[in-house]
Structures are given as structure tokens and as C-alpha cells.
Amino acid sequence: MTIAERHAYILNQLNEKGYVRVADLADALSVSLVTIRKDLKILESRQLLFRSHGSASIRKSYANERPVEEKETIHALEKQRIGQKAVELLQANEAIIIGSGTTALAFARGIPNELPLIVLTGAMNVSLALMEKEKVELMQLGGIVRKSATSVVGPFAEEMLQHFACTQLFLGVDGISLDYGLTTSSLLEAHLNQRMIQAVEKTIVLCDSSKFSLRGFGKIGEVEDIDVIITDTGVATSTVTELEDRGVEVWVV
């Protein structure tokens, strides 16, 4: 196979999946890892893909900080569907944690008014959405305010979590990488999310398919820390298969 044919194959795989792994390409094309890395470097220099450790994506792989007002307008219908599906996991009178992010906010808005719950959250916009739910007992974490995300972070919020045991965490993320794990654009937010995972029996990640193969500045944890991911139909079949092989239940809506 010529270089041009290899490059065409790589770009075709990217167009289909949005994400490729160096090892998979080497096996498929019967060439060395070194050869594939050189191919990816050439394609990146032509601005046809973005490389990361052991993989490449069709778009820039780094998740940047954006104001929550802007993020709410991106993939809004997908986020609404994801939030509505997540509501099916709720049971009356359980104590849950809701993280920050616009998909988590969509989930909070979809909680039925008549469903009794205890909800612990650091996201102020989530708290405001739940103020209208008469059966929800709401506990707001305190700490340093992240204005861009309308959420609180820091040691005070983390210390509060040590006093509670909850059943489920509904977590929004800025990026999911099969190699690197779960990330967010804020280091303090990532550290708080780690504490949230430790405080629950089950972790559910709510994210639209654009978050796959992205990476934020702060690492939350590994893919194996997740019990369920709820995402939309834009996710690649190969990604779903690998997640399921690693013990994660994937709901596509």
C-alpha cells in the first residue's frame, strides 16, 4: 500500500468514527507503529487531524473553557434527550449528587415535580432549577464560585461531601478519552468531581457525543470509574463497543 493510500484510509476512518488509535491503524494496514505515527504527523501538518498520545481525532482534542450561556446553545436537543433518559434511573426518596454542566442542568430540569429526592449539588444553576421542585430537598455546596460555570469548587465544598453518602452521581464532563479518561477544563472542578465519585455507589456520566476524544486540563478519573454513560447517536459504534468491553453500560439516545 502506498503512502497516499494509507493516508486516504486513515482519513476515511476518521470521517466514519471521529477518532482512531495508532495501534488499530498499524494492525489494519500491516505496518509498524512508527510508520503510522509518521503518517499522522504529516496529516496533522496539513491540518487534516489532531494527534494525541496513541491516537488522533478529526477535531482539536483539547476542551476549552466556555461560558455556560454559550454551552447551553450547543447540542441543546441532544442534551435534553440525555437528561430525560437519565431521569429513568431515579427512584423515590434516594439521595443523589448532580455535578455542574449544561447536560447536568438539562437533567435537573427534567426531574418530575412529584418525585421526592434529596439532591446535593455544587452547581448554582442546578439549584435554581430545582427550587421549583416541591418534593426535592436541596443541599447546596459552598466554596469558591466559578462564574463561567455557575458552580462552586474548592476545599469547603470537598469537606462538605465527607458528611454525606449518596446513591448516584449524575456527572457532566468536558471530555472523555478512552486513553486518558474523564476530564474537565478546571482543575478545582476535577478535584471536586473526584470526591463526588467517592461519595456515591454509582456514577452516571451525561455527555453529548462531541465530548468523546476531547481532553480538558483537569483529570477527573478513568473510564473504569464510570458505571453508566448516557450519550447521543453521534457516538461511534467502536467507542461504544470498547466502553462496554471495559465494563461501562452505554445508553445511546
Side-chain angles (χ1 to χ4, degrees), residues 100-114:
S100 65
T102 51
T103 312
L105 176 60
F107 161 66
R109 287 170 172 164
I111 293 175
N113 292 329
E114 67 277 8

Side-chain angles (χ1 to χ4, degrees), residues 4-25:
E5 288 172 332
R6 287 203 309 272
H7 290 184
Y9 176 85
I10 292 169
L11 294 174
N12 182 60
Q13 291 294 300
L14 278 173
N15 287 328
E16 288 183 5
K17 303 175 182 178
Y19 171 86
V20 291
R21 293 165 60 95
V22 171
D24 294 340
L25 291 173

Side-chain angles (χ1 to χ4, degrees), residues 171 173 175-184 190-191 193-194 197 205 218-226 246:
L171 182 66
V173 298
I176 299 183
S177 166
L178 294 173
D179 294 323
Y180 192 69
L182 311 176
T183 56
T184 184
H191 205 261
N193 289 342
Q194 292 170 12
I197 290 173
V205 168
K219 182 170 181 175
I220 300 168
E222 306 296 340
V223 166
E224 287 78 9
D225 294 326
I226 309 167
R246 292 164 71 171

Side-chain angles (χ1 to χ4, degrees), residues 49-164:
L49 54 78
F50 297 92
R51 290 185 300 154
S52 58
H53 180 69
S55 64
S57 63
I58 200 168
R59 61 188 183 276
K60 189 174 181 179
S61 60
Y62 195 79
N64 294 316
E65 180 79 59
R66 292 180 177 179
V68 67
E69 296 83 2
E70 178 184 343
K71 292 170 71 173
E72 272 198 84
T73 65
I74 302 171
H75 304 293
L77 292 178
E78 289 85 350
K79 292 173 181 177
Q80 185 177 5
R81 292 202 307 271
I82 292 166
Q84 289 172 345
K85 187 67 176 179
V87 169
E88 297 179 13
L89 288 166
L90 295 174
Q91 297 192 21
N93 298 308
E94 69 174 326
I96 66 170
I97 301 175
I98 303 178
S100 65
T102 51
T103 312
L105 176 60
F107 161 66
R109 287 170 172 164
I111 293 175
N113 292 329
E114 67 277 8
L115 183 65
L117 290 172
I118 299 172
V119 177
L120 182 66
T121 186
M124 294 182 291
N125 53 0
V126 167
S127 291
L128 287 173
L130 294 175
M131 290 289 288
E132 303 175 0
K133 314 288 183 179
E134 294 182 2
K135 297 292 186 177
V136 171
E137 181 179 341
L138 182 61
M139 304 191 70
Q140 172 70 55
L141 295 177
I144 303 166
V145 176
R146 284 186 67 211
K147 293 182 180 180
S148 63
T150 64
S151 65
V152 298
V153 293
F156 295 111
E158 293 170 21
E159 198 276 334
M160 285 184 69
L161 282 172
Q162 297 178 17
H163 301 282
F164 304 100

